[in-house]
Amino acid sequence: MQNTAEYYCAYCGEPNLTFIDISQGFQQSYVEDCQVCCRPNILYIRIDEDTLSIEIDTDYEE
């Protein structure tokens, strides 16, 4: 099951929309490039098992 969620770029602060594949687990992390500034963000994704609400934290990739 895929859902969309928004995160803010760690570099430029602009909002980005991303697809989350819930079947990959309730805690995920991977790198995705910002759609605005093209810099790589590490996305830390947490999905609530009961409500399926999604929270995303970002960090700089070094």
Side-chain angles (χ1 to χ4, degrees):
M1 170 188 236
Q2 282 194 347
N3 285 1
T4 58
E6 187 175 68
Y7 71 92
Y8 291 90
C9 176
Y11 295 93
C12 70
E14 290 294 321
N16 287 262
L17 192 63
T18 188
F19 288 98
I20 307 296
D21 185 354
I22 294 175
S23 69
Q24 296 301 307
F26 294 108
Q27 291 193 15
Q28 305 175 29
S29 64
Y30 56 88
V31 176
E32 183 167 300
D33 291 342
C34 175
Q35 298 164 7
V36 178
C37 72
C38 300
R39 296 173 96 179
N41 285 260
I42 302 173
L43 304 184
Y44 298 100
I45 299 159
R46 291 176 311 287
I47 303 166
D48 184 283
E49 293 183 46
D50 297 322
T51 64
L52 298 181
S53 64
I54 299 169
E55 291 183 27
I56 302 176
D57 292 321
T58 58
D59 200 0
Y60 306 101
E61 185 187 52
E62 308 208 10

